[in-house]
Amino acid sequence: MNKYKLRCISCGKVYEPDEVEYTCPVCGDRLGTLEVIYDYDEIKVKKEDFGKFDNIWQFEKILPISDKAYKTPLHVGGTPYYEHKKLAEELGIKNLFIKYDGTNPTASYKDRASALAIAKAYEKGYETIYCASTGNAASSLAGLSAPTKLKTYIFLPASAPIAKISQLFIYGANVIPIDGTYDEAFDISLKIGEENGWYCRNSAINPYLLEGKKTGALEIAVQSNWDVPDYVLVSVGDGTVISSFYKGFYDFYKLGLIDKIPRIIGVQAEGAAAIKRVFDKGEPFMPDDIETHTIADSISVGKPRDVVKACKYVKASGGYFVSVSDEEILNAIYELSIKTGIFAEPAGATSYAGLKRISEKIGKDSTVAIVVTGNGLKDVKAIESFVNLKKVKPDLNAVREVIKEYENKI
Amino acid sequence: MNKYKLRCISCGKVYEPDEVEYTCPVCGDRLGTLEVIYDYDEIKVKKEDFGKFDNIWQFEKILPISDKAYKTPLHVGGTPYYEHKKLAEELGIKNLFIKYDGTNPTASYKDRASALAIAKAYEKGYETIYCASTGNAASSLAGLSAPTKLKTYIFLPASAPIAKISQLFIYGANVIPIDGTYDEAFDISLKIGEENGWYCRNSAINPYLLEGKKTGALEIAVQSNWDVPDYVLVSVGDGTVISSFYKGFYDFYKLGLIDKIPRIIGVQAEGAAAIKRVFDKGEPFMPDDIETHTIADSISVGKPRDVVKACKYVKASGGYFVSVSDEEILNAIYELSIKTGIFAEPAGATSYAGLKRISEKIGKDSTVAIVVTGNGLKDVKAIESFVNLKKVKPDLNAVREVIKEYENKI
C-alpha cells in the first residue's frame, strides 16, 4: 500500500502514484497540477523527532518516498532561522524571523525540490533527468545529480546570471542555453523531455517537488519551537514555493504539531506579477500569461505553472499577494545586508521588500517570518550599482586621502 | 582572573591578555605571533556538550571570550562534514571526509575568525575595526560587522574577485581597493590602523583569529564522533588557518576528548609556496618572502605572517607541506564538483589537489579529511574555461541538434 495519493488541484480526482506521472490527464498541465495527500492517522511523528539543523531527510515520514529511497548525502535544509528584534521594532511589528536558504549546497531554496526529484528519478528507474529553470532550479539539479549515476539536461534562458550558469558547467551537466525566455525554455523542455523519455524536474509539473520544498515550512515550525509566525512572506514566480509553505504548515497542523497555519503572503515583482493578477481577479483562478520585466531573474515568470494551487492555498491561509518594484527589491537587498548581515539575491530580498510594503497593515501584534530563497553571490551583477571600485595607489598618503573622504561622509 | 594567557611562538614569553594587544613586543610582528594558552584543568567540558551542526559559540568555554561577549547571531560554523566512500576508494585511502565551509554566512572559512575579532573589538571598546585581506577575510568582516555598531575599513587588492568585492559594498563597509598586492595592502593597513586607533583583524597579527578558526577542527572532532582522521589537509596562505587546525585538535587532545592529533598537511599553490619553502629549509623557521602567481587568490600570499606557528605546528603534528600547480587546482575544482556536488573556490579545492598528489604515500589504511574553505560562487571567473555559453535558438529542431551532439559525446 502506498503511503500517499495524488489529487488534482482543479477537479479533485484522486490517483494512485503509479497511475499518473506528472499532472491530471483530465485537466492538463497548468490547471491539473497534483497535490500529494496523506492519511495523517497513519503517520506517527512527535515533536521530539526533529532537530533544528538536521537535513530534510529528518522529515522522511511526511515525504512521498520509500525507506529505500536515494537520499542525497549533501546537507539540504537545516538552514538558519534568524530572529531580528531590532528590525521588527523598526518595522512596527511584534517580531521578525528570517528563514535564510542561501546556505543550501547550491545556495538556493531549490535544493529542497531537487533532492526529491532525484529520489523519484531513482525510484522510477530513469537514467536521465532534466529541467527548465530561471537558473536556481538548474544549478540545484546539476549539483545534486552530479555525484549520482543520472545524466542531466538543463534548459535555461542564456540571460541567466553567470554564477548560476557557471555552476551548471562545473557540475558537468548538459546545458541548453536558450536564446529566449524562461517560459520558452520551459515549453521546449517538456517536448524534448517527453520525446526522449527523461524524468521531468519542472516546477509544478512534477508533484513531488512541492513536497521537497515544504520542508522549509516544516523547519520553521521546528525552529520556532512549534509556535509558528502569524505571517510568512515568500517571493513568487511559478507559484510552487509559496504553495509548499502552505502545504508544510498544513501537514504539521493536521498532524497536531502546530495549532494554526500562518497567513501566507506572496510577493511578486511588479514586472512579473502574473499570479497576483489572477488572485486579485478572484475565483475560479484561471492562468493568465504576461510579458516579464524584472531584475529578480528567479521569479521572472510570465506563464506560471502553479497558479491554481498558489491562489487556492494562499486564500485558504487568509493571505494575499503584493507586488514590489525593482527599485524596492534593490533597496531591500542593501537594507537586509547592512541590517542583518544576510546578502540575498534579488528574488531572495523580494520578500523583505514586500514586508516593508505591508508592515503597517500587519500591525504591532503580529510575528512575521520572511523567506530569503537564495544567496546574493548567485547574482552579483544585480548589485553592481552599489559597487564603486576606484583603485587607490599603494601609498600611505593616497590612502589617508580616501579615508578622509569616508570620514567626512559619515 | 583571566581564563587564558598569550605566549610568543618564538621566544615563549607569556603575557596576560591586557599586557599586549597583538604580537610579542620583543620578537615583532612576524616572528612574534602569539598563542592563546589555557589551563586545561580549569575547563570543564564533556563530549555530550557538543552538537553536530550548532554554531561556533557552543565551544565558548574553549574560546578566549567572556560570558558577556558579543556573539554574532549569524550562524557561523556548524558546517557539513561529508563522508565519501567512493572517492576514498578511487584514491586508494581508507576513508575520505570533506569539511565544507562554503555554507558559512559569507561563504568562507574566515567567518570563524571574524566572529572572534568582532567579539574582541566590542570587549576592548573599539569603535572601528579593519582588515587587509585577499578577499574572504574582508567580505567576512564586512558581513559580520554590518549589523553591529562597529565602523569597518577594508584594505584589499583591487584585483580580488568581483563577488568578494561586491559583498563589501553591499555590507556597507568602507573599502580601500589597493592597486597592488595583498602584501602591500597588509603593510599599509597596519600603519593606517595604528595611526587611527582602529582594531586590527589581520591574519596572525591578532592572536584571537586563530582561536575562531580552530572551531573547524573542533567540529571535525565532534562530527567524526571523536574518532578523528589520521590526516587533515588544508590550503595555506598566511598560515593561520592551518595552525588553527593543529590548535583545535591540540585543545581537545589536552582536554582528553580525542586520543590523537591528526597529521596536518599544508597545501600551497606552486606560485605562492612561501611557507613550504621555509618548512623544507628546516628549523629555525625564518620568514621568507616571494612574488606570487596563482589563480587561487585566497592563498596568494608572498609575505606570510604566521610562518613560524604554521611550521612548528605542522612539524609537531608529524605533517608536512606540499604544493600544486594552478592546473591541478582547476582540475580539482571540476573533479570535486562532479564527484561530490561540492563547488569550491580555487583555494578551497587546493586541499583536494594536494590529496591527489599524496594519496599513494598516505596509503590504504589511513582516514583523511580535506578542508574546503570557500564556496565556488566567490570566484566564478576562475572557472570560465569550463563554461561554454553557446546560445540555442528557441526552436525544437535546433535543440534536438544540440542534444544529438551531447549524446554523441557521451
Side-chain angles (χ1 to χ4, degrees):
Chain A
M1 211 190 70
N2 289 304
K3 81 184 199 195
Y4 64 92
K5 296 185 194 301
L6 299 167
R7 183 172 63 199
C8 175
I9 191 67
S10 287
C11 74
K13 188 166 162 36
V14 174
Y15 300 91
E16 288 297 328
D18 52 3
E19 280 184 291
V20 57
E21 192 75 321
Y22 302 118
T23 52
C24 172
V26 183
C27 300
D29 271 1
R30 290 187 76 195
L31 287 175
T33 66
L34 300 173
E35 300 174 283
V36 174
I37 55 173
Y38 301 93
D39 180 352
Y40 295 104
D41 294 334
E42 290 295 315
I43 297 174
K44 307 291 173 216
V45 289
K46 51 190 191 305
K47 292 178 180 176
E48 305 76 61
D49 295 343
F50 306 109
K52 286 194 177 168
F53 302 113
D54 293 314
N55 69 37
I56 59 168
W57 304 122
Q58 67 170 324
F59 302 114
E60 76 170 285
K61 285 185 184 167
I62 338 169
L63 291 174
I65 54 168
S66 72
D67 299 348
K68 288 160 297 197
Y70 171 83
K71 294 176 197 138
T72 179
L74 290 162
H75 197 89
V76 176
T79 60
Y81 186 60
Y82 294 123
E83 183 173 6
H84 281 279
K85 286 185 198 296
K86 203 172 135 200
L87 199 47
E89 208 173 300
E90 277 178 45
L91 291 162
I93 56 176
K94 189 174 165 197
N95 217 335
L96 173 66
F97 290 86
I98 303 181
K99 182 67 178 164
Y100 177 55
D101 251 38
T103 62
N104 271 316
T106 77
S108 90
Y109 202 87
K110 298 300 171 73
D111 286 340
R112 299 176 184 274
S114 295
L116 263 283
I118 290 169
K120 281 293 170 187
Y122 264 71
E123 182 190 303
K124 291 165 180 278
Y126 283 93
E127 285 170 13
T128 302
I129 190 166
Y130 76 98
C131 80
S133 163
T134 55
N136 280 335
S139 53
S140 166
L141 180 62
L144 269 61
S145 70
T148 75
K149 62 184 183 190
L150 295 170
K151 204 191 292 180
T152 309
Y153 274 93
I154 302 290
F155 302 76
L156 86 170
S159 59
I162 187 66
K164 300 180 186 182
I165 289 174
S166 300
Q167 285 179 296
L168 303 177
F169 284 96
I170 207 70
Y171 287 134
N174 299 315
V175 187
I176 321 275
I178 297 287
D179 192 10
T181 64
Y182 164 64
D183 301 300
E184 286 173 295
F186 195 106
D187 288 338
I188 286 173
S189 78
L190 282 188
K191 292 217 179 69
I192 298 283
E194 197 178 2
E195 68 191 37
N196 286 285
W198 299 339
Y199 190 53
C200 175
R201 185 244 177 269
N202 274 4
S203 200
I205 298 290
N206 183 323
Y208 303 111
L209 303 187
L210 186 150
E211 293 292 306
K213 290 176 178 178
K214 81 178 179 191
T215 57
L218 303 180
E219 286 179 16
I220 287 179
V222 176
Q223 293 174 321
S224 65
N225 296 316
W226 310 97
D227 183 15
V228 295
D230 301 305
Y231 291 84
V232 175
L233 280 80
V234 192
S235 64
V236 180
D238 261 315
T240 307
V241 172
I242 189 165
S243 301
S244 80
F245 272 87
Y246 179 79
K247 181 57 163 38
F249 291 122
Y250 179 85
D251 281 354
F252 264 170
Y253 179 75
K254 296 296 280 186
L255 289 165
L257 299 186
I258 55 176
D259 58 10
K260 70 170 183 230
I261 294 172
R263 285 171 199 258
I264 311 290
I265 311 292
V267 188
Q268 295 209 283
E270 276 176 2
I275 296 185
K276 177 179 187 301
R277 204 153 84 167
V278 172
F279 187 85
D280 290 346
K281 273 188 200 156
E283 293 183 79
F285 299 119
M286 294 298 283
D288 188 13
D289 304 342
I290 59 167
E291 247 191 67
T292 65
H293 307 277
T294 172
I295 52 153
D297 65 289
S298 306
I299 50 171
S300 184
V301 179
K303 193 176 167 184
R305 310 289 159 157
D306 237 344
V307 180
V308 185
K309 216 182 273 165
C311 291
K312 281 196 176 181
Y313 284 3
V314 166
K315 189 179 176 203
S317 80
Y320 50 90
F321 286 83
V322 58
S323 65
V324 293
S325 69
D326 277 5
E327 199 191 335
E328 285 172 274
I329 292 172
L330 275 178
N331 288 338
I333 296 176
Y334 185 66
E335 222 180 87
L336 208 52
S337 293
I338 59 166
K339 291 187 176 179
T340 72
I342 294 170
F343 175 30
E345 70 163 309
T350 299
S351 56
Y352 180 62
L355 175 57
K356 293 199 70 175
R357 271 281 181 105
I358 64 168
S359 60
E360 207 167 311
K361 183 167 161 190
I362 280 179
K364 65 179 173 47
D365 298 325
S366 294
T367 294
V368 180
I370 61 171
V371 182
V372 173
T373 47
N375 197 313
L377 290 170
K378 289 221 150 198
D379 186 7
V380 295
K381 204 174 155 40
I383 57 153
E384 64 186 354
S385 60
F386 292 95
V387 177
N388 171 23
L389 198 50
K390 213 173 111 188
K391 291 182 194 178
V392 184
K393 271 194 302 182
D395 166 274
L396 278 174
N397 282 327
V399 171
R400 288 188 187 111
E401 280 307 309
V402 179
I403 288 167
K404 230 181 265 169
E405 282 171 40
Y406 274 123
E407 292 295 316
N408 288 336
K409 250 193 264 170
I410 294 162
Chain B
M1 210 190 70
N2 290 306
K3 80 184 200 196
Y4 64 93
K5 297 186 193 301
L6 299 167
R7 183 173 63 199
C8 174
I9 191 68
S10 286
C11 73
K13 188 166 161 38
V14 175
Y15 301 92
E16 288 298 327
D18 52 3
E19 281 185 288
V20 57
E21 192 76 322
Y22 302 119
T23 51
C24 172
V26 183
C27 300
D29 270 3
R30 290 186 77 194
L31 288 174
T33 65
L34 301 173
E35 300 175 284
V36 174
I37 55 173
Y38 301 94
D39 179 353
Y40 294 105
D41 294 336
E42 290 295 314
I43 298 173
K44 308 290 172 218
V45 289
K46 49 188 195 305
K47 292 179 180 176
E48 305 77 63
D49 294 343
F50 306 109
K52 288 194 176 167
F53 302 114
D54 293 315
N55 69 38
I56 59 167
W57 303 122
Q58 68 170 325
F59 302 114
E60 75 170 285
K61 286 185 185 167
I62 340 169
L63 291 174
I65 54 168
S66 72
D67 298 350
K68 290 161 295 200
Y70 171 83
K71 295 177 193 135
T72 179
L74 290 162
H75 197 90
V76 176
T79 60
Y81 186 61
Y82 294 123
E83 183 173 6
H84 281 279
K85 287 185 197 295
K86 206 172 135 199
L87 199 46
E89 207 173 302
E90 277 179 44
L91 291 162
I93 56 177
K94 190 175 165 197
N95 218 335
L96 173 65
F97 291 87
I98 304 180
K99 181 68 178 164
Y100 177 56
D101 250 39
T103 63
N104 271 316
T106 76
S108 90
Y109 202 86
K110 299 300 172 73
D111 287 340
R112 298 177 184 272
S114 295
L116 263 284
I118 290 169
K120 281 292 170 186
Y122 263 74
E123 183 190 302
K124 292 165 179 279
Y126 283 93
E127 285 171 13
T128 301
I129 189 166
Y130 76 98
C131 80
S133 163
T134 56
N136 280 335
S139 53
S140 166
L141 180 62
L144 269 60
S145 69
T148 75
K149 62 184 183 188
L150 295 170
K151 204 192 290 181
T152 309
Y153 274 93
I154 303 290
F155 302 77
L156 87 171
S159 58
I162 187 66
K164 299 180 186 182
I165 289 175
S166 300
Q167 285 180 294
L168 304 178
F169 285 97
I170 207 71
Y171 287 133
N174 299 317
V175 186
I176 321 275
I178 298 287
D179 193 9
T181 65
Y182 164 64
D183 301 300
E184 286 173 294
F186 194 105
D187 288 337
I188 287 174
S189 78
L190 282 189
K191 291 217 180 68
I192 298 282
E194 198 179 357
E195 67 191 38
N196 286 286
W198 300 339
Y199 191 55
C200 175
R201 184 246 178 269
N202 274 4
S203 199
I205 298 290
N206 184 322
Y208 304 111
L209 303 186
L210 185 150
E211 293 292 305
K213 289 176 178 179
K214 82 178 178 191
T215 56
L218 302 180
E219 286 178 16
I220 287 179
V222 176
Q223 293 173 322
S224 65
N225 296 315
W226 310 97
D227 183 14
V228 296
D230 302 305
Y231 291 85
V232 174
L233 280 80
V234 191
S235 64
V236 179
D238 261 314
T240 308
V241 172
I242 189 165
S243 301
S244 81
F245 271 88
Y246 178 79
K247 181 58 162 42
F249 290 122
Y250 178 84
D251 281 353
F252 265 170
Y253 178 75
K254 296 296 281 185
L255 289 166
L257 299 187
I258 55 176
D259 59 11
K260 70 168 183 232
I261 295 172
R263 285 171 198 257
I264 311 289
I265 311 291
V267 189
Q268 295 209 284
E270 276 175 2
I275 297 186
K276 177 180 187 302
R277 207 154 80 165
V278 172
F279 187 86
D280 290 347
K281 273 188 200 156
E283 293 182 80
F285 299 119
M286 294 298 285
D288 188 14
D289 304 343
I290 58 167
E291 249 191 64
T292 65
H293 307 278
T294 173
I295 51 154
D297 65 291
S298 306
I299 51 171
S300 183
V301 179
K303 193 177 167 184
R305 310 289 160 160
D306 238 344
V307 180
V308 186
K309 215 180 274 166
C311 290
K312 281 197 177 183
Y313 285 4
V314 166
K315 190 180 175 203
S317 80
Y320 50 91
F321 287 83
V322 58
S323 66
V324 294
S325 69
D326 277 7
E327 198 190 336
E328 285 172 276
I329 293 172
L330 275 177
N331 287 339
I333 297 175
Y334 185 66
E335 221 179 87
L336 208 52
S337 294
I338 59 167
K339 291 187 175 179
T340 73
I342 294 169
F343 174 29
E345 70 163 308
T350 299
S351 57
Y352 180 62
L355 176 57
K356 293 198 70 177
R357 272 279 182 107
I358 63 168
S359 60
E360 209 167 308
K361 183 169 162 188
I362 281 178
K364 65 179 175 42
D365 297 326
S366 295
T367 294
V368 180
I370 61 172
V371 183
V372 173
T373 47
N375 197 314
L377 290 169
K378 289 222 151 196
D379 186 8
V380 296
K381 201 169 158 39
I383 57 154
E384 65 186 356
S385 60
F386 293 95
V387 176
N388 171 21
L389 198 50
K390 213 174 111 188
K391 291 181 192 177
V392 184
K393 269 193 302 182
D395 166 274
L396 278 175
N397 282 328
V399 171
R400 287 187 188 113
E401 280 307 308
V402 178
I403 288 166
K404 229 182 266 169
E405 282 170 40
Y406 273 123
E407 293 294 316
N408 287 337
K409 252 193 266 174
I410 297 162

